[in-house]
Amino acid sequence: MNTELDQVKKEMMGLISKNVEADSPEAIAWMEKAANIVRKDQLQPGQVWKHNPDTGLEKVWVN
């Protein structure tokens, strides 16, 4: 997991350096990816974290 976490940090720094808005598609994709790595212990098999514009990140079932 350490290399995944390092990759997430590197991508975050890249977004910061580009001054990306928090609600941009790039930032949302990064948030979903980061949550699926860092918070995967909170998911059941078949679930992933997805961004909902009204509520933020939420767990959803993948078919």
Side-chain angles (χ1 to χ4, degrees):
M1 178 173 149
N2 197 18
T3 56
E4 289 178 324
L5 188 56
D6 291 339
Q7 181 64 30
V8 167
K9 288 178 183 177
K10 181 178 176 182
E11 290 173 9
M12 178 187 63
M13 296 307 290
L15 291 174
I16 291 169
S17 69
K18 290 194 267 183
N19 201 24
V20 174
E21 295 290 326
D23 59 351
S24 72
E26 278 183 295
I28 290 170
W30 176 83
M31 284 188 285
E32 290 175 349
K33 180 179 179 178
N36 283 306
I37 292 170
V38 177
R39 298 175 68 191
K40 64 184 168 190
D41 62 321
Q42 298 176 21
L43 299 171
Q44 296 179 23
Q47 283 185 317
V48 295
W49 290 102
K50 286 288 183 183
H51 180 262
N52 178 324
D54 298 323
T55 61
L57 288 173
E58 63 185 19
K59 300 173 195 174
V60 297
W61 292 97
V62 177
N63 293 334

